[in-house]
Amino acid sequence: MESPALLLSPPAANPNHPPFSFSPHRVLWPPRRNLRPLGCSLSTSSGRATRRPPLGSPRVVSEMASSTGGESYTTLLEYVGKGGADVGDDLVVLLCHLQYACKRIAALVASPFNAELGRGGGGGVPSSSSSSKRDAPKPLDIVSNDIILASLRKSGKVAVMASEEDDVPVWITDDSPFVVVVDPLDGSRNIDVSIPTGTIFGVYNRLAELDHLPVEEKAQLNSLQSGKRLVAAGYILYSSATIFCISFGSGTHAFMLDHSTGEFVLTHPSIQVPRRGQIYSVNDARYFDWPDGLRRYIDTVRQGKGQFPKKYSARYVCSLVADFHRTLIYGGVVMNPRDHLRLVYEANPLSFLIEHAGGRGSDGKTRILSIQPVELHQRLPLFLGSVEDMHELESYDSIQQKINPGYDV
């Protein structure tokens, strides 16, 4: 891309129509330097966010508050602070900056004046790590990547960031405690038709034993940690609501963005994926390319002849975060049976989330979190879902698709 400063103005007025009585907003990136992330002011005594709703704004009550009869809500930063999960000051600061970046991406994705970015206008240069035009980065991916990188730099808590949009990891600073891996904007090719998109991330501890190595080598090795070493993982869903879902290894929790306060509010504490669902999510237009085992499994469950004696329904958005979020809440399985999804940026974080919600993540044979990455952009089949559905699916002989004819859509 050219200059990182993107001033996107609305289209010129049509002379055949009368002028509007108001001035349309403009979206400015990067933000002015004197702006500070909303919700990042923390009390040193309690660790709770000090920002409160403006006078006259509606009160938001989370499911947690409703179930306990409480009158207040719990924000993301309150939850992770000393009054809640107490994940540590360094991680709280990192999350403060990351959630601010995701609020900016949510606004960018929803802006009518950025439609050209979503269509790929602006001359984005495909990364050499992409295997097809379908996966070539689009300008909106790159802008989202820049937003996240800038926020992580300002946090002072991230040593290295590895992104799906970059060929190699970016070393940020020597002494910071964390490593972040991220898919900045999954499903961005769907933006032009307003289909949900998302950000996926994982957080690791920096491996201090690698500090003596050259920068390029230690950046690479820090980013290739096994999913079992994740400190935290999450996704942000940009849809009818903006959802921030995260796990620190003891439960999976979802927070919804309240636009009246600018805060992520806890709405789904301690999510438990149903042990069995009644939905499968896969692009079954590829049915005839699948191995026999996967075809038999799908044929069986949609006829109601599997271990669960009810017919399954198909639900497929073709946006990984959206399909995963539905599976996390309703149960069932979401899958891509071919070597397509990335182990580091997608499979590991989502498997971490679903395992800590009582589900399972697999490549069809092996638990995802036990696979040691060997390449930064390593791809593999991915199956995620309810534990009973996953066990039934994996009982079939062959469910990994070996034929890859090179799909255009």
Side-chain angles (χ1 to χ4, degrees), residues 127-151:
S127 166
S128 61
S129 64
S130 298
S131 62
S132 68
K133 292 180 180 179
R134 181 172 180 265
D135 288 320
K138 301 169 182 65
L140 199 53
D141 300 84
I142 298 171
V143 173
S144 300
N145 192 61
D146 290 344
I147 291 172
I148 293 173
L149 178 58
S151 288

Side-chain angles (χ1 to χ4, degrees), residues 90-121:
D90 289 338
L91 191 51
V92 170
V93 172
L94 188 160
L95 290 172
C96 172
H97 285 78
L98 181 60
Q99 56 102 32
Y100 173 65
C102 293
K103 291 173 191 176
R104 290 200 57 80
I105 295 172
L108 187 69
V109 167
S111 171
F113 308 126
N114 291 323
E116 190 62 26
L117 284 176
R119 285 192 290 268

Side-chain angles (χ1 to χ4, degrees), residues 4 16 29 35 88 143 153-154 165 207 223 225 238 274 387:
N16 296 321
W29 171 252
L35 295 180
V143 173
R153 283 188 190 277
K154 291 177 182 178
E165 302 303 329
L207 299 175
S223 304
Q225 297 186 55
Y238 310 114
V387 64

Side-chain angles (χ1 to χ4, degrees), residues 394-409:
E394 291 174 301
S395 71
Y396 286 75
D397 293 336
S398 174
I399 59 174
Q400 295 176 326
Q401 179 182 334
K402 302 301 183 182
I403 299 173
N404 190 355
Y407 306 116
D408 292 329
V409 294

Side-chain angles (χ1 to χ4, degrees), residues 44-364:
T44 55
S45 60
S46 67
R48 296 176 70 82
T50 59
R51 187 176 186 272
R52 290 294 179 261
L55 292 175
S57 65
R59 178 171 295 275
V60 181
V61 181
S62 70
E63 288 184 358
M64 174 178 283
S66 299
S67 64
T68 59
E71 296 182 354
S72 62
Y73 58 79
T74 301
T75 69
L76 172 62
L77 294 181
E78 288 174 336
Y79 180 84
V80 300
K82 289 183 173 60
D86 193 11
V87 300
D89 291 345
D90 289 338
L91 191 51
V92 170
V93 172
L94 188 160
L95 290 172
C96 172
H97 285 78
L98 181 60
Q99 56 102 32
Y100 173 65
C102 293
K103 291 173 191 176
R104 290 200 57 80
I105 295 172
L108 187 69
V109 167
S111 171
F113 308 126
N114 291 323
E116 190 62 26
L117 284 176
R119 285 192 290 268
V125 179
S127 166
S128 61
S129 64
S130 298
S131 62
S132 68
K133 292 180 180 179
R134 181 172 180 265
D135 288 320
K138 301 169 182 65
L140 199 53
D141 300 84
I142 298 171
V143 173
S144 300
N145 192 61
D146 290 344
I147 291 172
I148 293 173
L149 178 58
S151 288
L152 296 184
R153 283 188 190 277
K154 291 177 182 178
S155 76
K157 302 300 179 183
V158 179
V160 59
M161 183 186 102
S163 168
E164 183 182 325
E165 302 303 329
D166 297 323
D167 290 331
V168 295
V170 176
W171 189 265
I172 298 174
T173 183
D174 290 339
D175 299 325
S176 297
F178 297 117
V179 175
V180 174
V181 297
V182 62
D183 181 352
L185 195 60
D186 179 79
S188 61
R189 66 183 177 274
N190 293 322
I191 285 176
D192 202 33
V193 289
S194 300
I195 289 177
T197 55
T199 296
I200 306 171
F201 68 90
V203 181
Y204 297 92
N205 287 314
R206 189 189 91 246
L207 299 175
E209 60 268 28
L210 303 178
D211 286 350
H212 66 285
L213 297 175
V215 168
E216 294 81 3
E217 187 174 354
K218 66 182 179 181
Q220 184 89 356
L221 292 176
N222 269 286
S223 304
L224 291 176
Q225 297 186 55
S226 165
K228 291 185 291 186
R229 301 177 68 107
L230 280 163
V231 173
Y235 64 82
I236 298 84
L237 173 66
Y238 310 114
S239 184
S240 57
T242 301
I243 305 293
F244 193 118
C245 185
I246 192 166
S247 176
F248 302 99
S250 57
T252 297
H253 317 281
F255 301 75
M256 183 182 296
L257 181 61
D258 172 21
H259 292 281
S260 70
T261 64
E263 301 282 4
F264 281 104
V265 177
L266 181 64
T267 54
H268 294 74
S270 302
I271 296 170
Q272 284 292 304
V273 61
R275 291 186 60 81
R276 183 175 288 277
Q278 203 175 335
I279 297 171
Y280 70 90
S281 181
V282 65
N283 185 358
D284 55 9
R286 313 302 183 203
Y287 178 90
F288 295 103
D289 294 330
W290 293 345
D292 180 65
L294 183 57
R295 289 201 303 267
R296 285 191 290 112
Y297 169 77
I298 295 297
D299 289 343
T300 298
V301 297
R302 64 185 176 189
Q303 294 178 73
K305 297 180 179 179
Q307 295 175 10
F308 185 60
K310 289 187 178 181
K311 295 180 180 180
Y312 278 46
S313 297
R315 298 287 186 273
Y316 182 63
V317 179
C318 193
S319 179
L320 178 58
V321 173
D323 284 318
F324 178 81
H325 182 71
R326 182 194 56 248
T327 303
L328 186 66
I329 302 300
Y330 292 155
V333 288
V334 54
M335 66 186 91
N336 191 323
R338 62 190 179 98
D339 290 334
H340 180 68
L341 297 175
R342 291 145 178 97
L343 173 59
V344 172
Y345 311 110
E346 297 166 318
N348 270 337
L350 296 183
S351 295
F352 186 84
L353 284 163
I354 204 158
E355 282 201 8
H356 289 291
R360 175 172 169 80
S362 163
D363 71 348

